[in-house]
Amino acid sequence: MTAHRSGSGPPLVLVHGLGGSWRTWEPVLDGLRAHRSVVAVDLPGFAGDTPPLPDPSMAALTDALQEWLRAEGLAGASLVGSSLGARMVLELSRRGIGADNVALDPGGFWTDREAAVFRTSIAASVALLRRIRPALPALLGNPAGRTALLAQFSARPWALDGDVVRTELEGYLDSPDFGAVLDDLARGPKQQGAPAGTLPGRLTIGWGRRDRVTLARQASRAVASFPDAELHWFARSGHFPLWDEPAETVRLVLDRTSR
């Protein structure tokens, strides 16, 4: 596994979502690395520099990350995840890995119907992106194009950085394991919880009120599964608080991982 490292201070490991890379975190990197030694990983088989796993799945990704954290001496560092990465952080917390961890809009708490809608909608979005890929730079370079393409992911897509979202969306298209992991997320086991008193540190679950990918009503199920967790609502955010509310995301992460 590879990672982008910057900053100084106590270590903070960032775990991106499905199809992304460490660049997913660019809107919040400056704020975090001003206070922490940031380790933003590239998960296997997605848009970064880490090669695919032989059998890509949610469980295999989490096992690989756990092994890497231990090998790097980071098994006791605070972990922050987004989307798929957030679910991985919850699973690692359940296993006793990390410290004061933060999970932003995790998957795994949907009903069967919600999971089917999630898979269908994401697969359709990626299929559309493949058809219009030559036009992506132009479309994402203006507010109207970002609004049309990113309404599912962002509460304010017109305000996003065009280069950041272009890198993210092109990563979905270039990730060899995107489809396999998407299928496993939607059709595989739901996320297991952790009984009270079993986590390695504080756990914060952040959720966008306007999330159209992992719906806001799923937050109560996540907290029920992790009764020691504290829930933080991002009032004006969609699925990616680090994009929609970067300043609030930085404040939350620094505050909840400060010990």
Side-chain angles (χ1 to χ4, degrees):
M1 194 174 295
T2 59
H4 176 83
R5 301 172 188 258
S6 59
S8 60
L12 186 67
V13 179
L14 307 182
V15 189
H16 62 77
L18 178 65
S21 73
W22 71 266
R23 294 186 179 277
T24 298
W25 299 96
E26 285 186 317
V28 298
L29 276 182
D30 284 347
L32 295 177
R33 63 190 171 201
H35 303 275
R36 304 292 167 83
S37 176
V38 174
V39 182
V41 302
D42 274 338
L43 294 174
F46 293 144
D49 295 325
T50 306
L53 296 171
D55 181 22
S57 66
M58 171 71 195
L61 286 168
T62 308
D63 290 346
L65 178 58
Q66 177 176 310
E67 292 172 9
W68 184 85
L69 290 170
R70 285 177 169 160
E72 294 290 316
L74 293 168
S78 289
L79 313 176
V80 183
S82 171
S83 191
L84 164 74
R87 181 172 174 184
M88 294 173 68
V89 165
L90 290 180
E91 174 59 21
L92 290 171
S93 298
R94 193 184 70 83
R95 299 179 185 183
I97 303 296
D100 294 337
N101 299 337
V102 179
L104 302 174
D105 296 76
F109 300 99
W110 33 53
T111 64
D112 291 343
R113 178 177 175 79
E114 288 168 349
V117 171
F118 158 76
R119 180 190 175 280
T120 300
S121 64
I122 297 298
S125 296
V126 172
L128 171 64
L129 292 176
R130 292 192 189 283
R131 291 197 297 270
I132 65 171
R133 181 165 190 170
L136 273 182
L139 288 170
L140 295 173
N142 68 82
R146 291 194 294 275
T147 300
L149 292 176
L150 291 158
Q152 183 178 13
F153 299 104
S154 171
R156 292 177 292 159
W158 58 88
L160 301 180
D161 183 291
D163 289 336
V164 169
V165 295
R166 180 179 58 79
T167 299
E168 183 80 6
L169 295 185
E170 289 181 343
Y172 298 172
L173 303 179
D174 294 335
S175 298
D177 289 346
F178 187 97
V181 178
L182 174 63
D183 286 346
D184 184 64
L185 283 173
R187 296 169 174 167
K190 297 180 177 64
Q191 177 59 47
Q192 296 182 55
T198 63
L199 298 177
R202 293 189 297 178
L203 176 63
T204 302
I205 298 176
W207 221 291
R209 287 277 188 191
R210 305 180 191 179
D211 191 338
R212 298 183 181 93
V213 178
T214 52
L215 305 177
R217 61 175 174 261
Q218 296 169 17
S220 61
R221 302 169 198 160
V223 174
S225 297
F226 289 84
D228 284 341
E230 182 173 345
L231 178 62
H232 175 87
W233 286 108
F234 291 89
R236 300 188 301 162
S237 179
H239 187 59
F240 293 109
L242 57 159
W243 292 359
D244 283 347
E245 295 291 342
E248 184 179 353
T249 300
V250 168
R251 289 194 299 270
L252 178 72
V253 169
L254 293 178
D255 176 62
R256 300 299 171 85
T257 63
S258 60
R259 294 188 300 180

